[in-house]
């Protein structure tokens, strides 16, 4: 291991590097609003909640219909491997929440309160970059870079100049594969737990109903 030179990152493997986001990707903040104008071409809008509530952006999402200019379509259309982050929030510690585009989208653009990061795939694996954005240690930089009092915003500068760890490209792929397997296991375990909670809530509701309506005689149950 070696010291990365960046306090917030700490130690990294000796053969890894540290790089600024602006050197491995393009950062494009969006200002496309939800309004529709007759003289503009129609688009599907990937909105704040689409990103905040989903790790993966696919055509299964019910995108909002809107319009925008041809220049904005060219600039902010979403492609496979793009990472989208939230750039506004009610609290600084809940900013830069990421999602990644995992399939071809038809006529979908990045909406307001978001920024799209387009990785240089010759340097960085898009899914590895997405996982970096999910890392608390990396994400802390965006929390510190956000401005505001009652509502916080993240400008282009703190995004572009945030530091990330950069292993060799082949190792990035191995890390992505490992995390895909392990996070899938966690998701399945979470689903089972949530199902058990749902069943317990149903049992609780049923129990209360049966007791208060006399279907269960508690005189025999209470000691």
């Amino acid at each position: 291991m070696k010291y990365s030179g960046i306090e917030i990152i700490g130690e990294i493997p000796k053969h890894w590097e540290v790089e600024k986001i602006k050197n491995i990707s393009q950062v494009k903040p969006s200002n496309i609003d939800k309004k529709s104008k007759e003289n503009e071409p129609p688009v599907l809008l990937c909105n704040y909640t689409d990103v905040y509530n989903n790790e993966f952006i696919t055509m299964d999402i019910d995108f909002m219909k809107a319009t925008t200019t041809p220049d904005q379509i060219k600039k902010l259309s979403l492609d496979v491997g793009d990472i989208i982050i939230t750039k506004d929030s009610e609290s600084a510690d809940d900013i830069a929440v990421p999602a990644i585009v995992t399939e071809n989208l038809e006529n979908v653009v990045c909406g307001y309160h978001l920024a799209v990061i387009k990785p240089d795939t010759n340097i960085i694996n898009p899914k590895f970059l997405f996982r970096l954005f999910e890392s608390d240690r990396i994400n802390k930089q965006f929390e510190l870079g956000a401005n505001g009092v009652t509502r916080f915003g993240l400008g282009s500068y703190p995004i572009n100049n945030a530091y990330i760890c950069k292993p060799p490209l082949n190792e990035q792929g191995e890390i992505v594969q490992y995390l895909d397997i392990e996070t899938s296991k966690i998701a399945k375990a979470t689903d089972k737990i949530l199902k058990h909670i749902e069943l317990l809530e149903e049992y609780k509701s049923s129990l209360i109903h049966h007791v208060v309506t006399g279907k269960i005689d508690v005189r025999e149950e209470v000691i």
Side-chain angles (χ1 to χ4, degrees):
M1 301 291 284
K2 67 179 180 182
Y3 179 55
S4 66
I6 309 300
E7 183 178 356
I8 207 164
I9 292 178
E11 290 191 333
I12 58 174
K14 287 183 178 179
H15 63 291
W16 287 26
E17 298 174 354
V18 172
E19 193 60 87
K20 288 186 176 181
I21 286 176
K22 66 181 179 182
N23 295 329
I24 54 90
S25 65
Q26 290 182 307
V27 176
K28 298 182 178 184
S30 174
N31 59 357
I32 300 176
D33 59 31
K34 299 177 181 180
K35 297 177 182 177
S36 293
K37 299 177 183 177
E38 290 184 4
N39 61 336
E40 291 180 343
V43 293
L44 296 175
L45 210 57
C46 181
N47 282 318
Y48 186 97
T49 52
D50 298 326
V51 172
Y52 192 88
N53 295 325
N54 297 282
E55 276 192 318
F56 308 115
I57 303 299
T58 71
M59 285 303 294
D60 290 336
I61 295 172
D62 186 19
F63 297 112
M64 175 182 287
K65 294 180 180 179
T67 67
T68 192
T69 65
D71 285 345
Q72 292 288 61
I73 293 173
K74 183 178 180 180
K75 176 184 175 183
L76 294 166
S77 288
L78 295 176
D79 302 307
V80 174
D82 285 351
I83 294 102
I84 313 162
I85 62 169
T86 59
K87 62 181 182 69
D88 297 288
S89 177
E90 293 182 356
S91 62
D93 60 357
D94 193 33
I95 211 160
V97 175
I100 183 170
V101 179
T102 55
E103 67 179 35
N104 290 318
L105 305 177
E106 295 183 14
N107 201 34
V108 180
V109 298
C110 179
Y112 197 53
H113 299 301
L114 301 170
V116 58
I117 290 89
K118 292 183 173 287
D120 182 344
T121 55
N122 293 313
I123 303 173
I124 196 84
N125 183 308
K127 207 162 188 180
F128 178 74
L129 182 59
F130 164 65
R131 295 301 185 188
L132 284 171
F133 274 97
E134 287 193 316
S135 163
D136 287 344
R137 188 65 64 88
I138 301 299
N139 197 271
K140 187 71 175 177
Q141 298 174 85
F142 304 121
E143 179 183 342
L144 296 172
N147 294 312
V149 179
T150 57
R151 187 165 183 83
F152 294 83
L154 189 62
S156 296
Y157 184 87
I159 302 173
N160 274 305
N161 289 282
Y163 288 97
I164 60 149
C165 311
K166 189 171 76 65
L169 202 54
N170 65 315
E171 195 169 341
Q172 294 175 32
E174 292 170 358
I175 291 168
V176 164
Q177 186 177 24
Y178 173 81
L179 286 176
D180 281 349
I181 293 169
E182 294 303 311
T183 55
S184 177
K185 291 177 183 177
I186 293 168
K188 289 177 181 178
T190 301
D191 286 343
K192 287 183 179 180
I193 292 168
L194 291 175
K195 183 62 178 176
H196 284 309
I197 291 172
E198 182 182 337
L199 291 172
L200 286 170
E201 288 294 335
E202 289 177 2
Y203 170 70
K204 174 185 173 182
S205 178
S206 175
L207 176 65
I208 291 171
H209 171 73
H210 282 83
V211 170
V212 300
T213 56
K215 293 180 175 62
I216 295 178
D217 187 349
V218 299
R219 292 174 299 178
E220 298 178 2
E221 305 292 335
V222 178
I223 298 175

